Amino acid sequence: MNQNKPVVGITMGDAAGVGPEIILKSLAYEEMYQISAPLVIGDSKILERAKSFVNSELVIKSVSAEELDQVSYQFGTVHCLDLNLLPSDLPVGQVSPDAGHAAFEYLRTAIELAKEQKIDAICTAPLNKEALQKGGHKYPGHTEILADLTDTEDFSMMLSAPNLKVIHVTTHVGIIDAVKMINPERVYHVIKLAHETLEKAGISSPKIAVCGINPHAGESGLFGYGEEEEKVIPGVEKAQAEGINAVGPLPADTLFFRAVRGDFDIVVAMYHDQGHGPVKVLGLDAGVNITVGLPIIRTSVDHGTAFDIAGKGIADEKSLMEAMRQAVELAPKK
């Protein structure tokens, strides 16, 4: 059985992508077993196939949900809660409704295990949004599934990279819809989530910088139609009134430089590309995606399924390894 290390459920994501490969490459490092008890939630036969892609000598062992309490997690053996949903000859690097449905089921199973406290955190390999929807699940991505299946209304996506953390007011919506969705209450709630998340991580009175929506944060009405004054400033002021160390709205074009320099502990971005772009400039293998506000811990790689290189064994495992470390750091302490 596990010796006081957090059990991290690693969902396999879209099996036609690089998920199975980066899981095996990550679990080939003994460090992952020194800090955690990793349990893959997916299809054992897909992992077996992926061994040939990455020249792995790891042993794949299938387990059932009933056996989880008896599993002894040891380096060299990868334990897989085998849902047995996919054929071993699933085409690699192609959109598949079957793979999309399976990715949903891996995550749904992980959420149930986390609710039942059979695992301590969830770490997700990437899924493909087109495959997910073709598989019958009309969600924009992982974050929205997690929120729906945990009945969470107040949540946000946080990206963590070296020297930069970013949390989002809106994520997977078009830019016009994003601007419509931004409002003072949402801005306030995301600032508060950032504050609470960083305080739990040991940062006292974290410094929070809030992006504007328009260039130069509107520059006193010169750009836009007063969105900052209407949608952002009241939310910042509400947070400040509660003693939260938040400033803004600030021009996004200089704000991220200042955050990387160390002026701020986290940046509140208004929409997807505003926050994702700066993080990904720092390196696709460096970013980790964390869903904050959930009743369970969830971290993820911050890259996609990479269908163009799937099956070639060249996908980089560094982001998944960092996501594992973050999951361990955030998991309830035993």
Side-chain angles (χ1 to χ4, degrees), residues 24-46:
L24 289 178
K25 292 174 81 170
S26 296
L27 298 184
Y29 290 85
E30 193 167 3
E31 176 204 348
M32 296 294 100
Y33 286 81
Q34 292 170 343
I35 64 172
S36 72
L39 172 71
V40 180
I41 300 167
D43 272 56
S44 292
K45 68 177 80 68
I46 297 294

Side-chain angles (χ1 to χ4, degrees), residues 32-74:
M32 296 294 100
Y33 286 81
Q34 292 170 343
I35 64 172
S36 72
L39 172 71
V40 180
I41 300 167
D43 272 56
S44 292
K45 68 177 80 68
I46 297 294
L47 286 178
E48 286 287 356
R49 180 177 69 169
K51 284 173 60 175
S52 64
F53 301 156
V54 299
N55 297 317
S56 173
E57 296 182 359
L58 295 171
V59 175
I60 310 298
K61 185 173 182 180
S62 297
V63 296
S64 67
E66 293 72 28
E67 298 172 308
L68 292 184
D69 289 343
Q70 305 303 317
V71 173
S72 178
Y73 297 93
Q74 295 179 338

Side-chain angles (χ1 to χ4, degrees), residues 16-251:
V18 297
E21 299 167 53
I22 60 174
I23 289 171
L24 289 178
K25 292 174 81 170
S26 296
L27 298 184
Y29 290 85
E30 193 167 3
E31 176 204 348
M32 296 294 100
Y33 286 81
Q34 292 170 343
I35 64 172
S36 72
L39 172 71
V40 180
I41 300 167
D43 272 56
S44 292
K45 68 177 80 68
I46 297 294
L47 286 178
E48 286 287 356
R49 180 177 69 169
K51 284 173 60 175
S52 64
F53 301 156
V54 299
N55 297 317
S56 173
E57 296 182 359
L58 295 171
V59 175
I60 310 298
K61 185 173 182 180
S62 297
V63 296
S64 67
E66 293 72 28
E67 298 172 308
L68 292 184
D69 289 343
Q70 305 303 317
V71 173
S72 178
Y73 297 93
Q74 295 179 338
F75 177 62
T77 299
V78 175
H79 288 88
C80 177
L81 180 59
D82 188 6
L83 300 193
N84 193 27
L85 295 172
L86 295 171
S88 58
D89 60 351
L90 176 78
V92 177
Q94 298 179 26
V95 172
S96 161
D98 289 340
H101 171 67
F104 175 85
E105 287 298 319
Y106 303 152
L107 182 59
R108 185 191 62 76
T109 300
I111 292 168
E112 289 304 312
L113 292 174
K115 285 180 176 179
E116 295 166 4
Q117 299 184 339
K118 292 182 178 179
I119 62 176
D120 300 299
I122 299 172
C123 182
T124 57
L127 54 71
N128 181 278
K129 294 176 177 62
E130 181 183 354
L132 178 70
Q133 301 221 0
K134 287 185 174 179
H137 304 286
K138 306 301 182 184
Y139 294 93
H142 270 124
T143 302
E144 293 78 10
I145 298 172
L146 283 148
D148 186 25
L149 297 187
T150 59
D151 297 318
T152 302
E153 294 183 4
D154 191 12
F155 65 93
S156 184
M157 176 189 293
M158 185 171 85
L159 301 182
S160 179
N163 303 317
L164 180 63
K165 285 183 170 60
V166 182
I167 192 168
H168 293 71
V169 173
T170 68
T171 48
H172 294 117
V173 293
I175 186 67
I176 295 174
D177 292 330
V179 175
K180 290 178 182 177
M181 291 171 64
I182 298 166
N183 61 65
E185 196 64 17
R186 174 64 180 164
V187 170
Y188 160 74
H189 278 301
V190 173
I191 294 171
K192 191 172 182 180
L193 280 173
H195 174 80
E196 292 173 348
T197 300
L198 294 190
E199 282 214 321
K200 287 178 184 176
I203 301 174
S204 178
S205 188
K207 300 185 291 291
I208 302 168
V210 181
C211 288
I213 298 172
N214 293 297
H216 298 208
E219 202 160 297
S220 301
L222 183 61
F223 302 113
Y225 298 92
E227 287 86 358
E228 279 74 20
E229 289 76 10
E230 175 192 346
K231 296 171 173 286
V232 181
I233 291 174
V236 175
E237 290 177 343
K238 183 175 180 179
Q240 291 170 337
E242 295 184 4
I244 294 174
N245 187 6
V247 295
L250 299 174

Side-chain angles (χ1 to χ4, degrees), residues 18-19 22 124-127 129 142 159 276 280 283-289 300-306 309 315-320:
V18 297
I22 60 174
T124 57
L127 54 71
K129 294 176 177 62
H142 270 124
L159 301 182
H276 278 61
K280 294 193 175 182
L284 290 177
D285 61 350
V288 175
N289 183 330
S300 178
V301 297
D302 188 37
H303 61 73
T305 48
I309 61 170
D316 196 309
E317 69 275 17
K318 291 189 184 70
S319 182
L320 182 61

